[in-house]
Amino acid sequence: MTPTEVFNPYGFGYGNNVSVSSTSASITLADNVAKESPNILVSNELSETVFLRWGSGTQTAVTTDVPVAAGTTQVFFKGNAQVIAVVSTTGTGTVRIYPGKGI
């Protein structure tokens, strides 16, 4: 069995708060942060599931993308993707996104 590396944020001050609604919202990570942080920790503070999409260039999240359940925190591999988009079905609130390494 391979040891698992605990999630390690890129550094203080690199977290992103995304104001989420039924219209897709996105953030763009700086080049160095995106390249040195293959994972993102996502904390959904809404009372409903949100949906994520990440990649290079403009990203628009839709409700068939990767789900993050209400009130949960998950870690995803994003590779070198710089842009992360988030959308909800009807609710509004905050999703926190932290770049880093590990799970």
Side-chain angles (χ1 to χ4, degrees):
M1 180 186 304
T2 305
T4 302
E5 180 182 351
V6 174
F7 184 81
N8 186 21
Y10 179 78
F12 295 109
Y14 289 95
N16 297 271
N17 295 335
V18 182
S19 295
V20 179
S21 69
S22 59
T23 301
S24 181
S26 65
I27 59 158
T28 301
L29 301 174
D31 284 339
N32 61 321
V33 175
K35 289 177 183 172
E36 295 176 28
S37 301
N39 298 343
I40 50 173
L41 181 142
V42 179
S43 179
N44 178 7
E45 297 184 359
L46 277 74
S47 59
E48 69 176 74
T49 299
V50 297
F51 303 87
L52 300 173
R53 175 180 293 205
W54 53 85
S56 298
T58 303
Q59 299 295 310
T60 302
V62 296
T63 57
T64 54
D65 287 332
V66 177
V68 178
T72 65
T73 299
Q74 296 183 33
V75 176
F76 297 98
F77 176 76
K78 64 147 192 73
N80 286 330
Q82 277 187 276
V83 181
I84 302 147
V86 187
V87 72
S88 69
T89 52
T90 59
T92 59
T94 301
V95 170
R96 301 182 193 284
I97 299 174
Y98 302 91
K101 294 180 181 178
I103 58 173

